[in-house]
Amino acid sequence: MTTHLTPASPTHLAPSYATPAWLLRGLTNEPGVLSLYAGRLRLVTGEGVVFDAPLGAVERLAFPWYEGAAGLRVTVGGRRHRVSLHRPRGSALPPARLMGQDVEPVIGAGRADADRGITVHSVLQGRGAGRVWRTLLQG
């Protein structure tokens, strides 16, 4: 069953989903968590909330072909954000305080990160997460 989200959708029936994500900013990539909950799309990094908006307020959403299903472009409040769903080479993992129980099962199996006991979000896992995000957001 596919749930199509609209601004009028009852929030208690809306699906929720969260994955590690990296905000791409030129030479730096800021780790965080991208989540969908109660009809709101939110990206939080170690620096704080990048955006938190109802789906109806998302001005533009694209999944560019050149990202291989593992990235998206989101425009909220007139600001465009590039988000990667796989861990870019050399980037840190999202801070432990952002990695709640809702996110851990989505990370999946992979090489364990020795210092925190969580797994690395690979390109393959990022593509899988991207397919889920596309289904949830573009319905």
Side-chain angles (χ1 to χ4, degrees):
M1 179 174 149
T2 302
T3 303
H4 297 285
L5 299 177
T6 65
S9 294
T11 57
H12 66 282
L13 296 177
S16 62
Y17 188 64
T19 59
W22 287 261
L23 181 63
L24 303 177
R25 294 187 171 177
L27 297 175
T28 62
N29 304 309
E30 200 171 328
V33 174
L34 181 67
S35 62
L36 175 66
Y37 179 74
R40 297 183 71 86
L41 185 63
R42 181 179 186 172
L43 178 64
V44 180
T45 66
E47 300 295 317
V49 177
V50 177
F51 59 82
D52 182 4
L55 288 176
V58 174
E59 297 155 19
R60 186 162 190 251
L61 178 68
F63 292 84
W65 65 269
Y66 50 83
E67 292 287 345
L72 59 140
R73 306 291 183 261
V74 181
T75 303
V76 177
R79 295 199 61 196
R80 185 173 163 208
H81 307 280
R82 295 178 6 190
V83 179
S84 177
L85 299 172
H86 69 87
R87 184 179 179 186
R89 181 177 226 155
S91 295
L93 288 169
R97 63 185 169 80
L98 297 179
M99 302 293 289
Q101 289 183 349
D102 293 342
V103 178
E104 290 182 61
V106 178
I107 295 173
R111 189 186 58 153
D113 186 56
D115 62 336
R116 290 208 307 232
I118 61 174
T119 57
V120 174
H121 204 67
S122 70
V123 173
L124 191 58
Q125 292 165 332
R127 288 180 181 166
R131 285 189 291 275
V132 173
W133 279 111
R134 185 185 303 250
T135 300
L136 289 173
L137 299 175
Q138 292 183 333

